[in-house]
Amino acid sequence: MKTDIKSIKDPEFLKKYNYNELNDLCSDIRKFLIENLSKTGGHLASNLGVVELTVALHYVFNSPKDKFIFDVGHQSYTHKILTGRANKFSTLRQFGGISGYQKRKESKHDPFEAGHTSTSIAAALGFAYARDLDNEKNEVIAIIGDGSLTGGLAFEALNNIDTLKSKVIIILNDNTMSISENVGGLSKFLKKIRISNSYDKAKEKYKGFLAKTNFGKKIYNLTYKVKEKFKKTLNDNIFTNLNIDYLGPIDGHNIEELIKALKKAKKSKKSILIHAITQKGKGYKPAEDNSSAWHGVGSYDVETGEFNKKNSTSISEVVSNTVYEFMEKDESIVTITPAMISGSKLEKIFEKFPNRSIDTGITESFATTLACAISLNNKKVFLPIYSSFLQRAYDNINHDIARMNAHVVIGIDRAGLVGEDGDTHHGIFDISFLNSIPNMVICMGKDTEEIRNLLYTGFYKQTNPFCIRYERAELDFNTTEFTEIPVGTWEYLKKTKSCKNTIISYGTDVQKLYEKLKDKNVNIINARYIKPIDKEILKELISTKQKIYIYETSIKTNSLGTNILEYFNHKEATNKIKLTGIDNKFIHHGKIESLKKSTNLDLDYIVNDICEFFKLK
């Protein structure tokens, strides 16, 4: 039976389907996802892995009365399809279109939003507790991957389930992966459960032995307490020790088996975890063969499985290649990543230097304090973390790395607007929250050469906590000789004699402005160090009474611009200054250029605004 995917309005139709029809529907959904994401891009492998699981959930439960909380929300595409949003999939992650995550304003079937991992159990427990206070009757289901389960917040939530006494259903979607292959003791524990499946095997042997005689059957029926004790002994694990019933492992692609397990969980009076084994990328061979590469993708050719690639090098690769050069010659350098080997382009480092490379799993806080402690033992540590995820380690950066002035080079990957992943992933807050922390150095290079020299300076010419920001973009990569860029120094890209108009910016933006305005009557300053600021150049701007335009694409609050304003106010300067940047708000998803236009930060608008501000022809 073929279902018209785009005509689906809500999940109620599933209740009428038999198992064969449900399996046919899963095949149709997979085909729909593969074809649509080839045009829009998105999180393909993770969504292909949860098709049967999501269909089974909607078959057994009744959304929106029953609450589905996906961790992370990027695995909710089948959920979106079944709740009436398939006809909008051509707009997935596009400006003004549907989000790649659960979104409350998008549907009544999306009760919670998450773009970061490990939040679902805590959120589910909160929903369940509020439900119980109101004496309502509905189920709350958290769908969490085994990679997300390594996060500290997930463990904190598990620890509180028995305390709050509110029933939640936890679906452990175990595909052995987060973005890269999972690491750590929990991963080994789940692997042991997958292989042994000890209780189910022992139970069947016990039942089979007694079933040989009528007397044995009577014993089996009369020994419920014995069976429960037997079960507890053989199926003792971290979940049951926290007073959470455990069911599994089960085949996460077997509709019938899933539905039976979910119905059992629904009848349960206490919190229960269903352990479902799934395959990331299921049903599309390229994604099955290399699920890491197919985690989050751009457009691709469905038939060949080839990505539509650009010829240039990502800035993440520029950074990782440079650190690789350092590590070849310097055995005191250690690289640490919280589950982002592929995202931050660290594959070559981990392959060549396995003893000096650590993947901590999805544990930004732990990775940060670990980096601090290692650095305090005469090591230089490189700690690349996406800007958005760095927020999760704020306390560790402040109390540990900065307060002890540890020599950790923090690579702030995906700094600035990141595009289609939207408001949970934009790296627009890091300058603001790092600026107020003592001892921190914050910088951003305009091109490959400057990025490499800033890294060289951070590793070898200073010993403070050193943050280098880099955006999600491409640059031409070329090796160069390393030169120190003294901390807190800026440079003039263009300085015109007797000119009273000065532009200040940083990163690749300042290079783009230079290309657009190099023939105009302006000075252009590359403020490559956002903290500390270059007070010598600022004194010069005050003395020559410059009119100043500051261009940034991060939050204005506590930005470079506000630092400059504070300095000028302290000096009682009268210079006319205009700040640009993002107002105190969250920015939704879409292509970066679309987002810049929506916030009046695109280059064409800025160039015109500069010309008006300076009254240039």
Side-chain angles (χ1 to χ4, degrees), residues 144-195:
I144 184 168
D146 51 320
S148 297
L149 199 63
T150 64
L153 179 56
F155 277 99
E156 292 169 27
L158 287 170
N159 186 51
N160 276 280
I161 286 176
D162 188 49
T163 302
L164 295 184
K165 306 297 183 186
S166 291
K167 179 199 171 184
V168 295
I169 297 172
I170 302 166
I171 311 298
L172 174 55
N173 171 30
D174 182 0
N175 56 31
T176 76
M177 303 286 289
S178 50
I179 296 176
S180 303
E181 186 174 351
N182 288 326
V183 297
L186 182 63
S187 177
K188 292 178 181 177
F189 159 71
L190 293 176
K191 183 177 181 181
K192 186 177 180 180
I193 289 181
R194 287 183 224 117
I195 293 170

Side-chain angles (χ1 to χ4, degrees), residues 2 40 47 137 238 258 263 301 349 367 404 429 461 611:
K2 187 170 180 62
T40 64
N47 281 285
K137 301 294 182 184
I238 188 172
L258 283 166
K263 284 182 176 179
D301 185 288
I349 287 175
M404 288 183 270
F429 299 104
K461 298 300 179 180
C611 290

Side-chain angles (χ1 to χ4, degrees), residues 331-488:
E331 293 187 355
S332 71
I333 298 178
V334 175
T335 292
I336 300 174
T337 179
M340 296 305 294
I341 293 175
S342 58
S344 291
K345 306 300 180 186
L346 304 170
E347 295 93 340
K348 193 164 71 168
I349 287 175
F350 272 72
E351 182 180 345
K352 182 67 179 292
F353 311 109
N355 294 332
R356 290 187 284 131
S357 305
I358 304 171
D359 181 0
T360 63
I362 303 174
T363 56
E364 290 85 1
S365 295
F366 167 66
T368 303
T369 297
L370 180 70
C372 172
I374 291 174
S375 74
L376 296 177
N377 286 273
N378 301 312
K379 299 290 184 286
K380 306 180 191 77
V381 180
F382 177 53
L383 179 66
I385 302 179
Y386 283 16
S387 172
S388 177
F389 301 154
L390 193 66
Q391 296 161 187
R392 296 155 69 98
Y394 175 83
D395 181 69
N396 312 81
I397 295 169
N398 187 339
H399 282 216
D400 302 335
I401 289 179
R403 192 172 57 82
M404 288 183 270
N405 205 24
H407 189 190
V408 177
V409 177
I410 301 175
I412 306 180
D413 202 344
R414 304 303 200 271
L417 294 166
V418 298
E420 292 86 349
D421 280 335
D423 48 3
T424 58
H425 280 59
H426 292 311
I428 58 177
F429 299 104
D430 58 85
I431 293 173
S432 182
F433 71 72
L434 291 172
N435 230 333
S436 60
I437 301 177
N439 294 332
M440 302 299 293
V441 175
I442 309 170
C443 65
M444 192 169 189
K446 70 180 188 298
D447 54 27
T448 296
E449 183 176 5
E450 188 166 69
I451 290 168
R452 286 167 57 79
N453 287 334
L454 286 169
L455 282 165
Y456 172 74
T457 302
F459 276 103
Y460 294 109
K461 298 300 179 180
Q462 64 94 61
T463 57
N464 283 70
F466 191 92
C467 299
I468 178 166
R469 307 177 78 239
Y470 41 102
E471 62 193 296
R472 186 181 189 180
E474 284 76 34
L475 287 174
D476 292 329
F477 179 77
N478 44 60
T479 57
T480 55
E481 293 297 319
F482 292 110
T483 305
E484 178 185 2
I485 301 177
V487 171

Side-chain angles (χ1 to χ4, degrees), residues 120-313:
S120 62
I121 302 175
L125 192 54
F127 273 82
Y129 183 76
R131 170 203 64 201
D132 294 346
L133 287 178
D134 292 337
N135 294 313
E136 293 180 354
K137 301 294 182 184
N138 65 278
E139 300 292 347
V140 184
I141 305 101
I143 303 98
I144 184 168
D146 51 320
S148 297
L149 199 63
T150 64
L153 179 56
F155 277 99
E156 292 169 27
L158 287 170
N159 186 51
N160 276 280
I161 286 176
D162 188 49
T163 302
L164 295 184
K165 306 297 183 186
S166 291
K167 179 199 171 184
V168 295
I169 297 172
I170 302 166
I171 311 298
L172 174 55
N173 171 30
D174 182 0
N175 56 31
T176 76
M177 303 286 289
S178 50
I179 296 176
S180 303
E181 186 174 351
N182 288 326
V183 297
L186 182 63
S187 177
K188 292 178 181 177
F189 159 71
L190 293 176
K191 183 177 181 181
K192 186 177 180 180
I193 289 181
R194 287 183 224 117
I195 293 170
S196 66
N197 202 357
S198 58
Y199 169 64
D200 286 338
K201 290 179 180 178
K203 182 181 72 174
E204 290 307 313
K205 288 180 180 178
Y206 172 70
K207 182 178 179 180
F209 174 74
L210 292 179
K212 290 178 180 178
T213 66
N214 288 331
F215 180 68
K217 290 176 183 177
K218 289 179 181 178
I219 293 176
Y220 182 81
N221 292 330
L222 290 171
T223 55
Y224 175 80
K225 289 183 179 180
V226 174
K227 286 191 293 177
E228 287 302 302
K229 185 175 180 66
F230 187 65
K231 177 178 178 179
K232 184 176 181 181
T233 300
L234 289 177
N235 206 23
D236 192 30
N237 60 47
I238 188 172
F239 309 115
T240 55
N241 288 337
L242 291 169
N243 201 25
I244 302 166
D245 280 353
Y246 172 88
L247 180 59
I250 64 172
D251 182 352
H253 300 297
N254 185 314
I255 281 284
E256 186 173 356
E257 193 173 341
L258 283 166
I259 288 173
K260 287 179 181 177
L262 292 170
K263 284 182 176 179
K264 185 173 182 179
K266 191 174 183 178
K267 290 178 182 177
S268 175
K269 299 298 182 183
K270 58 179 292 193
S271 293
I272 186 169
L273 182 142
I274 297 175
H275 184 179
I277 309 299
T278 63
Q279 180 182 10
K280 203 170 184 183
K282 174 76 171 177
Y284 186 52
K285 194 171 188 308
E288 289 179 353
D289 292 343
N290 189 357
S291 58
S292 293
W294 287 84
H295 172 75
V297 297
S299 59
Y300 56 89
D301 185 288
V302 173
E303 296 301 321
T304 65
E306 293 181 358
F307 299 117
N308 299 325
K309 289 185 176 179
K310 297 179 180 179
N311 294 324
S312 49
T313 305

Side-chain angles (χ1 to χ4, degrees), residues 465-521:
F466 191 92
C467 299
I468 178 166
R469 307 177 78 239
Y470 41 102
E471 62 193 296
R472 186 181 189 180
E474 284 76 34
L475 287 174
D476 292 329
F477 179 77
N478 44 60
T479 57
T480 55
E481 293 297 319
F482 292 110
T483 305
E484 178 185 2
I485 301 177
V487 171
T489 62
W490 297 349
E491 68 170 349
Y492 279 95
L493 298 184
K494 180 175 184 287
K495 189 172 185 180
T496 305
K497 189 175 182 180
S498 302
C499 177
K500 301 292 184 180
N501 305 319
T502 295
I503 300 165
I504 300 176
S505 189
Y506 52 82
T508 61
D509 288 331
V510 73
Q511 187 67 37
K512 293 170 186 173
L513 284 175
Y514 171 78
E515 296 298 330
K516 291 278 187 180
L517 296 166
K518 59 186 176 183
D519 297 326
K520 299 289 186 179
N521 185 37

Side-chain angles (χ1 to χ4, degrees), residues 8-15 54 57-58 61-70 73 76 78-85 101-113 127 139 141 143:
I8 295 173
K9 301 299 181 187
D10 59 56
E12 278 303 306
F13 75 99
L14 289 173
K15 314 294 186 186
T54 310
L57 281 165
H58 277 288
F61 298 100
N62 299 294
S63 177
K65 182 181 179 181
D66 295 324
K67 311 299 180 186
F68 295 171
I69 301 173
F70 286 87
S76 63
T78 300
H79 167 75
K80 286 176 181 275
I81 290 169
L82 296 175
T83 52
R85 286 170 272 180
Y101 299 83
Q102 281 188 295
K103 209 73 175 171
R104 284 170 57 84
K105 71 173 186 178
E106 203 175 276
S107 172
K108 62 184 179 181
H109 296 277
D110 292 0
F112 192 76
E113 300 176 7
F127 273 82
E139 300 292 347
I141 305 101
I143 303 98

Side-chain angles (χ1 to χ4, degrees), residues 5-6 8-11 13-14 22-34 36-37 43-59 63 68 70 72-87 89 92 98-102 106-107 109-110 143 173 252-253 255 258 282:
I5 300 295
K6 289 188 177 181
I8 295 173
K9 301 299 181 187
D10 59 56
F13 75 99
L14 289 173
L22 291 173
N23 281 317
D24 289 343
L25 173 63
C26 291
S27 296
D28 293 341
I29 289 173
R30 275 203 174 83
K31 184 177 179 182
F32 179 86
L33 287 173
I34 292 166
N36 278 268
L37 268 63
H43 291 90
L44 181 65
S46 55
N47 281 285
L48 293 179
V50 296
V51 175
E52 288 86 0
L53 177 58
T54 310
V55 169
L57 281 165
H58 277 288
Y59 180 89
S63 177
F68 295 171
F70 286 87
V72 179
H74 67 229
Q75 61 175 316
S76 63
Y77 291 6
T78 300
H79 167 75
K80 286 176 181 275
I81 290 169
L82 296 175
T83 52
R85 286 170 272 180
N87 59 354
F89 255 66
L92 180 70
I98 61 172
S99 171
Y101 299 83
Q102 281 188 295
E106 203 175 276
S107 172
H109 296 277
D110 292 0
I143 303 98
N173 171 30
H253 300 297
I255 281 284
L258 283 166
K282 174 76 171 177

